[in-house]
């Protein structure tokens, strides 16, 4: 392809390094904090069913497309869209897609960092033994006291943003590979132990029933939109994060296989979190629709009650924080890569500016849990509004455009060459999913939400 400008990009050391980084981006608060609480709010099984269908039919094909676009151009998302439109001889306006991604990333990170701050604060709470023998009421008291204090939330939000920026300054490769390599297996193990604890409660099967037996009558159009939006959110799709990582991917590596692996790992982590949490919810007469505080009001009960719970609690929140870190760096990387590669910023300067802007915006989320809890836009708090705007609207719209671009605008011979699938049939299957199934599904869900269908 045309080499307009020399790429200043790093490259991953291997396919495995890419898998680690992309899994690090995908697995995060979305799986352990968000999936359980939105599943609880939207009635369980049927919501999970729609979410799984969206991962399979929309998420995976778009993950393949996003990785492919990034790798083909080896540039940041904005430049990727510019270059690839030029290559396809298409309209220039496609680069706005890259823009939307950069903005969505910063918006998401602004609230992501606040919640990640909660996870970090809970490391200290676990360490000081706050959960020891505490019942559901006491654990709830700890949570409401904590989120009611703006100063505490600001402190932890700032700490988390600073940690994110420190890692991003050093470039995506350094440290990230190592962090994820140890993180994933340990997180997996801890979740298994928590599932083990959930089995000892007498509500284990009630939890499983809630999670896996669909009652489709409970689904509203809003639930379907949330489930679809979550498929994008949890796989880090629709905003260029995976595109950036794809741009560091060496040529000649199978993108499709890699996407299946990443999406599979991501889904397993989310389901395990759900299996661990809902039995605790029911065993303690809590409500599944507790909202964003759900994991903070359930898992500490387990840590307070089980043998070895003190250490487990510390480890769990440490790992949740690291999982959030490996996601947050991918949320800000598109902005940083663009400032460095197009605006001539030094990496340090790019990090400071984008980090500061995100931190400032995050204060809106901080206050929405306390002093501004009554401030509502369209019936939503600032946090809920940001979440809705990004996960339910911007990511699916971004994903829709990526699907249309990969399926309709990009020349077939280019995508075929870049994907290099083992059989013509697998390429064809992807092509149908990306050209028809994924965009139409997103389109119909939107139509349904605005009441046209
Ligand atoms: N996938 C991350 C999670 O599930 O926590 C969140 C996320 C990261 C969303 C990167 C979007 C993104 F681009």
């Amino acid at each position: 392809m045309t080499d307009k400008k020399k790429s200043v990009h790093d490259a991953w050391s291997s396919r495995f390094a890419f898998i680690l980084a992309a899994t690090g981006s995908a697995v995060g608060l979305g799986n352990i904090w968000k999936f359980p609480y939105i599943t609880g709010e939207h009635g369980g099984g049927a919501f999970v069913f729609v979410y799984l269908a969206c991962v399979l039919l929309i998420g995976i094909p778009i993950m393949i497309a996003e990785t492919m676009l990034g790798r083909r151009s080896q540039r940041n998302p904005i430049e990727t869209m510019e270059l690839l439109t030029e290559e396809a001889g298409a309209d220039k306006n496609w680069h706005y897609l890259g823009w939307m991604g950069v903005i969505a990333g910063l918006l998401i990170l602004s609230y992501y960092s606040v919640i990640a701050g909660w996870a970090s604060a809970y490391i200290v709470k676990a360490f000081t033994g706050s959960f020891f023998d505490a019942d559901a009421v006491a654990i709830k008291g700890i949570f409401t006291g904590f989120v009611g204090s703006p100063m505490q939330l600001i402190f932890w939000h700032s700490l988390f943003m600073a940690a994110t920026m420190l890692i991003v300054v050093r470039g995506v490769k350094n440290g990230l590979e190592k962090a994820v390599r140890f993180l994933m297996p340990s997180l997996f193990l801890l979740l298994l132990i928590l599932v083990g604890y959930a089995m000892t409660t007498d509500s284990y099967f009630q939890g499983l029933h809630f999670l896996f037996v669909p009652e489709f009558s409970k689904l509203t159009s809003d639930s379907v939109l949330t489930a679809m939006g979550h498929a994008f959110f949890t796989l880090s799709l629709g905003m260029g994060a995976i595109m950036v990582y794809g741009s560091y991917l060496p040529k000649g590596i199978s993108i499709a296989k890699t996407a299946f692996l990443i999406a599979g790992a991501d889904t397993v982590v989310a389901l395990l979190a759900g299996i661990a949490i809902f039995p605790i919810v029911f065993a303690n007469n809590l409500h599944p629709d507790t909202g964003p505080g759900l994991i903070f009001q359930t898992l500490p009960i387990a840590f307070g009650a089980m043998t070895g719970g003190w250490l487990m609690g510390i480890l769990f929140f440490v790992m949740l924080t690291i999982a959030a870190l490996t996601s947050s760096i991918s949320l800000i990387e598109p902005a940083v890569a663009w400032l460095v590669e197009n605006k001539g910023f030094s990496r340090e300067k790019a990090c400071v500016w984008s980090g500061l802007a995100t931190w400032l915006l995050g204060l809106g989320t901080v206050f929405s849990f306390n002093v501004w809890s009554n401030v509502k836009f369209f019936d939503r708090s600032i946090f809920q509004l940001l979440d809705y705007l990004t996960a339910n609207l911007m990511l699916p719209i971004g994903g829709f455009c990526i699907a249309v671009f990969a399926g309709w605008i990009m020349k077939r011979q280019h995508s075929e060459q870049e994907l290099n699938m083992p059989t013509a049939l697998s390429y064809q299957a992807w092509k149908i999913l990306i050209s028809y199934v994924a965009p139409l599904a997103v389109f119909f869900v939107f139509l349904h939400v605005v009441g046209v269908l």
Side-chain angles (χ1 to χ4, degrees):
M1 68 176 298
T2 49
D3 215 16
K4 212 167 61 173
K5 205 169 1 139
K6 194 95 192 87
S7 170
V8 285
H9 260 41
D10 278 354
W12 300 113
S13 46
S14 61
R15 165 168 174 260
F16 188 56
F18 169 76
I19 294 184
L20 285 176
T23 313
S25 167
V27 176
L29 295 174
N31 308 62
I32 295 168
W33 159 73
K34 193 173 180 193
F35 170 72
Y37 100 73
I38 55 176
T39 298
E41 283 180 340
H42 290 274
F47 177 86
V48 174
F49 179 86
V50 178
Y51 151 74
L52 291 176
C54 289
V55 166
L56 200 66
L57 298 175
I58 308 176
I60 293 176
I62 292 185
M63 183 177 263
I64 294 175
E66 238 190 75
T67 315
M68 170 189 82
L69 298 181
R71 186 174 68 181
R72 185 152 186 90
S73 82
Q74 306 195 325
R75 300 291 196 285
N76 65 65
I78 295 176
E79 268 197 287
T80 295
M81 293 320 294
E82 275 170 8
L83 267 169
L84 296 184
T85 4
E86 202 177 289
E87 185 186 59
D91 190 279
K92 269 262 166 273
N93 287 331
W94 279 97
H95 71 263
Y96 287 115
L97 182 57
W99 272 105
M100 191 174 72
V102 166
I103 294 168
L106 298 181
L107 291 178
I108 296 177
L109 184 56
S110 78
Y111 68 82
Y112 203 84
S113 161
V114 176
I115 311 293
W118 297 2
S120 338
Y122 266 61
I123 301 173
V124 177
K125 294 195 194 305
F127 183 78
T128 54
S130 310
F131 311 141
F132 188 66
D133 264 348
D135 61 5
V137 178
I139 296 286
K140 186 179 168 161
I142 294 176
F143 179 75
T144 40
F146 172 62
V147 294
S149 153
M151 285 327 280
Q152 288 196 51
L153 299 198
I154 291 176
F155 173 78
W156 291 105
H157 164 53
S158 312
L159 207 63
F160 186 82
M161 270 313 295
T164 303
M165 298 334 291
L166 270 179
I167 301 178
V168 178
V169 161
R170 303 176 56 204
V172 279
K173 264 185 15 172
N174 297 338
L176 179 65
E177 291 187 26
K178 276 187 227 102
V180 183
R181 210 180 277 243
F182 112 93
L183 175 78
M184 286 304 146
S186 332
L187 191 64
F188 189 74
L189 194 73
L190 264 183
L191 283 172
L192 281 183
I193 298 177
L194 281 171
V195 169
Y197 171 82
M199 281 179 176
T200 67
T201 67
D202 43 13
S203 303
Y204 182 60
F205 289 103
Q206 194 184 349
L208 284 188
H209 186 275
F210 180 78
L211 205 52
F212 292 115
V213 179
E215 279 176 54
F216 288 102
S217 58
K218 283 189 183 167
L219 276 185
T220 60
S221 59
D222 189 50
S223 318
V224 176
L225 177 68
T226 306
M228 181 180 78
H230 188 64
F232 283 98
F233 185 89
T234 191
L235 295 175
S236 306
L237 297 177
M239 56 145 277
I242 292 294
M243 205 185 278
V244 170
Y245 281 2
S247 71
Y248 304 120
L249 185 65
K251 299 272 178 190
I253 281 166
S254 161
I255 292 179
K257 240 194 341 208
T258 319
F260 271 98
L261 268 172
I262 297 165
D266 186 79
T267 309
V268 169
V269 172
L271 294 178
L272 281 179
I275 298 173
I277 285 162
F278 284 106
I280 304 177
V281 169
F282 295 117
N284 291 281
N285 290 323
L286 296 166
H287 297 288
D289 61 352
T290 297
L294 186 68
I295 64 160
F296 298 96
Q297 294 181 43
T298 47
L299 294 181
I301 303 176
F303 298 134
M306 64 206 267
T307 4
W310 176 75
L311 188 63
M312 287 272 304
I314 299 172
L315 288 178
F316 177 82
F317 287 111
V318 166
M319 261 166 233
L320 187 57
T321 306
I322 302 176
L325 262 177
T326 58
S327 301
S328 60
I329 54 183
S330 74
L331 282 162
I332 204 157
E333 183 64 22
V336 171
W338 176 73
L339 286 174
V340 172
E341 291 170 22
N342 293 54
K343 292 287 152 204
F345 279 45
S346 66
R347 209 165 162 91
E348 290 76 15
K349 198 169 148 202
C351 286
V352 168
W353 282 112
S354 43
L356 267 181
T358 314
W359 177 83
L360 208 63
L361 202 66
L363 297 183
T365 293
V366 164
F367 296 138
S368 75
F369 287 101
N370 34 67
V371 285
W372 288 350
S373 59
N374 290 327
V375 177
K376 300 268 154 110
F377 303 91
F378 307 104
D379 230 16
R380 293 186 164 86
S381 70
I382 298 176
F383 158 69
Q384 287 169 327
L385 188 75
L386 280 171
D387 178 39
Y388 190 87
L389 186 73
T390 51
N392 290 13
L393 301 181
M394 292 174 91
L395 299 187
I397 292 173
F400 173 87
C401 297
I402 288 166
V404 170
F405 188 87
W408 296 92
I409 309 286
M410 194 170 182
K411 298 225 165 61
R412 188 187 171 98
Q413 92 224 42
H414 291 153
S415 58
E416 215 165 359
Q417 175 197 23
E418 199 62 44
L419 288 179
N420 196 13
M421 300 247 200
T423 62
L425 191 71
S426 42
Y427 175 79
Q428 199 50 38
W430 171 78
K431 184 83 179 158
I432 291 173
L433 287 169
I434 204 74
S435 313
Y436 300 99
V437 179
L440 284 176
V442 175
F443 185 67
F444 281 120
V445 172
F446 276 135
L447 279 190
H448 206 263
V449 171
V450 293
V452 174
L453 279 182

